[in-house]
Amino acid sequence: MATQRPFDTEQDWRWLAVVQRDASADGTFVYAVLTTGVYCRPSCPSRTAKPENVSFHDNPADAEAAGYRPCKRCAPNSASSDAPITALVERVCRLIEQSDEPLGLPELAERVGLSPSYLHHCFKAITGLTPRAYGRAHQSRRVREALSDPASGITQAIHSAGFRSSGRFYENADAMLGMTPTAWKRGGQDTAILFAVGECSLGSVLVARSERGICAILLGDDPDVLLRDLQDQFPQAELDAGGNGFEEWVAQVVGLIDDPALGMDLPLDIRGTAFQQRVWQALREIPVGATASYTEVAERIGSPAAVRAVARACAANPLAVAIPCHRVVRRDGELSGYRWGVERKRALLDREADA
């Protein structure tokens, strides 16, 4: 058995959930009792154990790895409905989306009758984001929609999206839109993206660069298909073939594909949601020659329940190799899907293992 770790019975929301047999906490963690060697759901109707004998675990697998066996009464290792907690999080999402002004965590918690810490944990476990980050992402969507409306001016769009001042919006506009509000209002027509297609050991590679840095690295067999993919990603941008100086950028990307140990010293223009950005940053922290499972990546970003969302973020990665989504594998170590083909994924991992 693993050594028990003390916890604060007054501050730890998990202990409160166990004492109250809170079914809405089922699926967020399990608790184990040292004296019985059993682990349970938070809602288990069994007699409440002494806190000094209790330990918390993120999931049944962790509890069993620590030497505990599942409770026969509440069957914590069987498929369970997470409907109560999902419904609660969905309600908070609607509150955030329907509010004209940003709502703080204490106010959200009060509206749904939970403590702020418990709400924060549940929300992040289900969505992969904190309520605050979700609110910002929703504001971003609202302002994009408003700016896309021909009848809406920029100032009107800013206020209709819930920003209390234009100054606060412009502080975040560049990261939120990837361009100035005026350029977005015009559909990104003034955004120039240079690109070039080269050949590497894995087939064709398209490299595209904005004024910030490389914004796309695409792999495939047909250069025309890669160009259409780039056009789909940036439908309103001005796409132009890169000049002679652009060859150095392509050469560095090809060098990274052929010899991962070389690394790449080029600026990246990484565009994605707040959650995608967190996942992609975690991928960049996986060392050459190493791999991680989708579950491990979810745990590293602090959202252990967001495994499927992590997989979707990997699939949406527009920067092959530079953001190494090929280093993410299934929990059993087997290869899973890859946007540019499993065989390319296998080839990249083989080279990194050799490197």
Side-chain angles (χ1 to χ4, degrees), residues 45-119:
S46 59
R47 185 176 62 181
T48 303
K50 295 180 179 180
E52 59 266 27
N53 293 326
V54 170
S55 62
F56 298 116
H57 305 270
D58 291 336
N59 50 60
D62 289 349
E64 291 178 15
Y68 295 97
R69 63 184 186 278
C71 171
K72 293 183 179 180
R73 192 169 185 180
C74 67
N77 59 336
S78 66
S80 61
S81 172
D82 57 0
I85 188 172
T86 300
L88 179 147
V89 170
E90 288 178 351
R91 180 183 172 193
V92 175
C93 288
R94 300 296 86 77
L95 288 172
I96 293 173
E97 294 167 2
Q98 294 167 9
S99 175
D100 292 331
E101 295 185 354
L103 297 175
L105 181 61
E107 184 176 356
L108 288 169
E110 182 178 359
R111 291 196 184 189
V112 296
L114 297 176
S115 70
S117 60
Y118 185 23
L119 172 60

Side-chain angles (χ1 to χ4, degrees), residues 288-301:
V288 173
T291 60
S293 69
Y294 295 98
T295 299
E296 289 171 335
V297 173
E299 291 171 349
R300 291 178 188 182
I301 65 172

Side-chain angles (χ1 to χ4, degrees), residues 136 139-140 143-144 163 169 172-179:
R136 288 178 174 174
Q139 271 193 320
S140 176
V143 77
R144 287 168 182 261
F163 287 93
F169 166 74
N172 301 280
D174 192 55
M176 184 181 300
L177 301 175
M179 60 188 74

Side-chain angles (χ1 to χ4, degrees), residues 196-200 203-207 218-220 223 226 250 254:
V197 178
E199 294 298 321
C200 66
S204 298
V205 55
L206 184 149
V207 180
L218 311 177
L219 299 173
L226 296 181
V250 178
V254 171

Side-chain angles (χ1 to χ4, degrees), residues 143-227:
V143 77
R144 287 168 182 261
E145 292 171 357
L147 287 172
S148 299
D149 183 359
S152 175
I154 293 177
T155 301
Q156 181 182 352
I158 292 171
H159 290 296
S160 66
F163 287 93
R164 296 175 180 175
S165 69
S166 298
R168 178 63 59 86
F169 166 74
Y170 280 103
E171 288 176 5
N172 301 280
D174 192 55
M176 184 181 300
L177 301 175
M179 60 188 74
T180 66
T182 302
W184 180 271
K185 184 69 175 172
R186 292 198 294 264
Q189 293 177 359
D190 293 336
T191 301
I193 293 179
L194 302 178
F195 73 93
V197 178
E199 294 298 321
C200 66
S201 56
L202 297 181
S204 298
V205 55
L206 184 149
V207 180
R209 175 176 68 87
S210 69
E211 61 181 10
R212 296 179 178 182
I214 293 180
C215 56
I217 299 175
L218 311 177
L219 299 173
D221 298 317
D222 187 339
D224 291 336
V225 172
L226 296 181
L227 180 55

Side-chain angles (χ1 to χ4, degrees), residues 124 128-130 273-282 301-303:
K124 190 173 182 181
L129 297 172
T130 64
T273 66
F275 182 79
Q276 288 172 336
Q277 297 267 6
R278 289 169 54 210
V279 172
W280 295 342
Q281 180 57 41
I301 65 172
S303 303

